[in-house]
Amino acid sequence: MDPINPGKVFNDSIHGHVELHPLLVQIIDTPQFQRLRYIKQLGGGYFVYPGASHNRFEHSIGVAYLAGLQAKTLKENQPKLNITDKDILCVEIAGLCHDLGHGPFSHLFDQMFMPQAHDEDDEDDKERKVQARNKDDKEWRHEDASVEMFQYLLEKNRELLTEMKNSRLEDNDLVFIKELILGEPLKKKSDKPEDPSDWPYEGRGEDKSFLYEIVSNKQNGIDVDKFDYFARDCHHLGLKNNFDHMRYFKFTRVIGVEKNKLKRKHICSRDKEAGNLYDLFYTRDRLHRRAYQHKVTKNVEIMIKDALLKANKHIKFKGKDKEKKENFFTISDAKDNMEAYTQLTDQVTQRILESSSSELEQARNILERIKTRDLYELVDEAKGQNKQHKKISKETITNELKVVLPGEVRDHHNDYFEVVLVTYSYGKGDKDPVECSYFYKKDGEPPEAFQITRQQVSNFLPECFWEQTIRLYWKNKDKTHWHDVAEKFTVWCEHNRFQKY
């Protein structure tokens, strides 16, 4: 920390008094970061859990703090890793900015609204959007927008570039930060099949591969992003968090791991901590079951998504195109223009509610139903009976159910019912994430990394790490076809080995 300009101390509800580098404070004080104050961390969860009022803003500060803490702990415990102050600062900035790209109500926007907004585009819009997009809407991720928003933040706040130079950050450091935010290389080095021996990142060399596991760990999902939101979400939801991230930091060290004739450095845990890591992933599963995928949470989120879809083409956000000309962007288009996207937050629903426009009447009515707790009706739900059952897509189920509707209704089936496919896992699909992790023994000198199987930890651990539940929600006040769809859903469940609750 610069003794002349020592940054600021934040009194965080989870981590206590948190001191951040002055450069991070300057990033926090930009409009692009302040936008996160108006994006709920748990989307529709606030409508179910009254305490879940926290936002992406405080979560991002928490991740920045934990990212720096882990990097500093590794530096202190293993000086030979040559972790520099620049490395630590880059990791902190990435932790701070990793969620800049979230849209209204967090994952509701990228996982529910954007894919369906793409499907509902008319042909004229599709032609225009294909030219404007770098990626298909269905493939769009908030991580991509986070990188774009970070770059836009630097361009709009030129004094930050000066401060970065004063902190001796160079172009490769900015690349490193973006790679950390994205959790993967910014681009493939060539169109040829990747050679596993090639190091894909540009920000840091292979000798610092472990730094890429701190903010967004693609290998096993053990990263400071989860440490913060597990602790923060449990606190605000009133649930117990069984995982102690401070203990995790104490028992980690970086060790070279040889795999497929390659040796790269990974963050490894003490062998005795394997049970604690299972607690981490059990907490993840429990949060999904009790909060993120709660049947009423999903109900509210479907309604917000439907309202945004109804309002999509009727609410516009002003931004400048590449030629610096003013243009207006719909809700789904705003992600392609960071100036417009900066204005897009949860407050878009308030804008709909306060409007008297006839074009927004349908969207307004849906949001009014949420306010009066006149929610969609959960018709039925069912769980896969066999852990080996075939993975089903939402589109497959929907297409089978809508055939029982009359033709004129079938074309507008989204106004009548919706199928929600809920997948529960420990974060690595049907794999055990702990078996994707590396451990070391206390008395090993030098320590060697190894993997631990579930059976070595305990016979009480789960055998299956993935399951699906499907739910059928009825949206329309008109229940003429309610029973036909419900009966078809029952038949579908029987044929596909899903057991109704």
Side-chain angles (χ1 to χ4, degrees):
M1 197 71 68
D2 186 348
I4 300 176
N5 187 12
K8 285 186 179 180
V9 175
F10 296 78
N11 189 3
D12 183 69
S13 60
I14 305 302
H15 308 300
H17 291 89
V18 171
E19 188 173 3
L20 296 184
H21 190 284
L23 181 54
L24 272 70
V25 176
Q26 285 187 273
I27 292 173
I28 290 170
D29 290 339
T30 64
Q32 293 74 30
F33 189 88
Q34 290 291 318
R35 166 182 178 270
L36 298 180
R37 287 185 184 272
Y38 311 106
I39 297 177
K40 284 282 179 288
Q41 176 82 7
L42 297 189
Y46 183 39
F47 293 87
V48 179
Y49 288 89
S53 58
H54 54 305
N55 304 301
R56 290 283 161 184
F57 179 84
E58 50 264 42
H59 163 63
S60 298
I61 291 174
V63 175
Y65 165 70
L66 291 181
L69 185 59
Q70 176 153 30
K72 291 170 187 174
T73 302
L74 291 173
K75 178 181 180 180
E76 181 180 344
N77 293 341
Q78 295 179 263
K80 291 183 179 180
L81 293 175
N82 296 319
I83 299 175
T84 66
D85 290 341
K86 282 208 303 181
D87 293 334
I88 295 172
L89 182 56
C90 288
V91 168
E92 290 176 330
I93 293 172
L96 185 71
C97 298
H98 79 289
D99 273 349
L100 284 176
H102 266 297
F105 300 95
S106 294
H107 290 293
L108 181 157
F109 187 78
D110 57 327
Q111 295 179 2
M112 298 175 68
F113 170 75
M114 284 306 305
Q116 201 163 329
H118 170 273
D119 289 339
E120 294 191 0
D121 284 338
D122 58 44
E123 292 304 317
D124 292 338
D125 263 2
K126 279 184 178 179
E127 184 178 353
R128 176 175 59 82
K129 285 189 174 186
V130 165
Q131 297 172 353
R133 289 194 292 260
N134 293 324
K135 282 196 167 191
D136 190 275
D137 284 347
K138 283 193 171 184
E139 297 177 356
W140 179 83
R141 305 172 302 169
H142 76 270
E143 292 91 347
D144 298 311
S146 293
V147 171
E148 289 186 51
M149 185 64 83
F150 176 67
Q151 181 61 39
Y152 177 71
L153 181 151
L154 295 179
E155 293 170 359
K156 293 297 289 185
N157 303 276
R158 306 296 296 183
E159 67 279 4
L160 279 174
L161 290 174
T162 302
E163 289 301 319
M164 285 185 167
K165 289 180 181 178
N166 292 339
S167 299
R168 298 180 180 178
L169 297 186
E170 302 170 356
D171 289 344
N172 70 304
D173 296 312
L174 295 183
V175 170
F176 179 44
I177 292 168
K178 292 175 182 177
E179 290 174 334
L180 290 171
I181 291 172
L182 199 59
E184 59 189 38
L186 291 181
K187 57 184 178 181
K188 292 183 179 180
K189 293 186 177 181
S190 69
D191 294 330
K192 299 177 182 178
E194 291 185 10
D195 185 339
S197 63
D198 289 341
W199 177 242
Y201 294 96
E202 297 179 8
R204 289 295 184 271
E206 199 167 357
D207 62 319
K208 293 191 175 177
S209 56
F210 59 92
L211 292 175
Y212 288 95
E213 298 175 356
I214 294 177
V215 176
S216 179
N217 190 341
K218 298 300 185 184
Q219 177 178 304
N220 53 34
I222 303 172
D223 52 49
V224 296
D225 179 25
K226 290 185 181 62
F227 297 168
D228 183 85
Y229 81 71
F230 286 0
R232 196 171 301 277
D233 291 355
C234 284
H235 173 78
H236 288 280
L237 290 165
L239 303 177
K240 178 70 174 175
N241 177 24
N242 292 326
F243 181 74
D244 184 352
H245 55 262
M246 298 302 289
R247 178 180 174 87
Y248 170 82
F249 291 155
K250 291 291 185 185
F251 290 102
T252 54
R253 66 181 301 162
V254 174
I255 302 173
V257 177
E258 189 166 346
K259 186 177 181 181
N260 299 327
K261 298 183 180 180
L262 296 176
K263 191 167 186 177
R264 287 180 181 155
K265 296 177 181 177
H266 293 278
I267 298 175
C268 305
S269 301
R270 270 284 301 277
D271 52 350
K272 67 176 184 177
E273 295 303 300
N276 292 332
L277 293 184
Y278 277 108
D279 281 344
L280 168 72
F281 293 108
Y282 174 73
T283 299
R284 180 191 188 278
D285 178 69
R286 195 162 56 106
L287 281 166
H288 274 270
R289 292 179 187 274
R290 295 187 63 179
Y292 310 155
Q293 309 289 351
H294 187 283
K295 59 186 178 183
V296 182
T297 298
K298 276 295 157 197
N299 196 339
V300 171
E301 290 187 339
I302 294 170
M303 296 182 77
I304 295 172
K305 178 264 298 179
D306 285 347
L308 295 180
L309 288 170
K310 298 291 185 185
N312 187 22
K313 294 181 175 65
H314 307 297
I315 289 186
K316 302 291 179 68
F317 300 89
K318 186 167 68 173
K320 291 186 176 67
D321 58 24
K322 293 181 180 179
E323 298 177 355
K324 305 298 180 183
K325 293 180 180 178
E326 282 192 355
N327 203 346
F328 289 88
F329 298 84
T330 65
I331 297 173
S332 58
D333 281 341
K335 59 151 183 61
D336 297 319
N337 183 279
M338 289 300 107
E339 183 177 348
Y341 199 53
T342 302
Q343 305 163 52
L344 182 57
T345 66
D346 294 3
Q347 293 177 333
V348 66
T349 56
Q350 198 61 32
R351 186 169 163 183
I352 295 169
L353 283 166
E354 292 172 354
S355 168
S356 58
S357 168
S358 60
E359 294 176 324
L360 292 173
E361 183 178 2
Q362 287 182 301
R364 193 163 54 245
N365 289 341
I366 294 173
L367 295 177
E368 289 288 354
R369 286 182 64 180
I370 297 175
K371 287 173 63 177
T372 58
R373 213 64 175 180
D374 180 19
L375 304 181
Y376 294 158
E377 184 175 350
L378 176 62
V379 177
D380 219 334
E381 61 181 325
K383 180 173 73 71
Q385 297 179 53
N386 190 331
K387 67 180 182 180
Q388 301 296 333
H389 75 264
K390 187 175 70 172
K391 295 181 181 180
I392 307 289
S393 73
K394 173 182 173 178
E395 289 75 14
T396 299
I397 308 168
T398 301
N399 288 336
E400 290 195 31
L401 295 186
K402 73 180 184 181
V403 297
V404 302
L405 298 173
E408 68 276 8
V409 175
R410 190 181 309 156
D411 294 337
H412 301 282
H413 66 274
N414 285 328
D415 291 330
Y416 285 84
F417 72 88
E418 180 148 343
V419 172
V420 174
L421 186 61
V422 178
T423 299
Y424 298 113
S425 76
Y426 271 24
K428 288 288 290 182
D430 56 359
K431 296 180 181 177
D432 177 356
V434 177
E435 292 190 357
C436 300
S437 307
Y438 293 101
F439 298 87
Y440 68 94
K441 292 184 179 294
K442 179 181 180 180
D443 53 2
E445 194 55 49
E448 293 185 3
F450 59 90
Q451 292 175 292
I452 294 178
T453 65
R454 174 175 50 83
Q455 291 79 9
Q456 289 175 284
V457 180
S458 173
N459 290 328
F460 285 92
L461 292 171
E463 295 182 1
C464 177
F465 293 89
W466 176 90
E467 71 176 20
Q468 284 185 316
T469 292
I470 53 174
R471 297 183 186 135
L472 175 63
Y473 291 92
W474 189 263
K475 305 178 180 183
N476 208 294
K477 297 284 189 179
D478 178 4
K479 292 192 174 183
T480 305
H481 308 290
W482 187 95
H483 290 291
D484 293 335
V485 175
E487 287 178 9
K488 181 67 175 177
F489 181 76
T490 299
V491 171
W492 185 93
C493 290
E494 291 173 353
H495 287 174
N496 291 275
R497 301 185 67 187
F498 274 76
Q499 182 176 8
K500 296 209 299 181
Y501 284 16

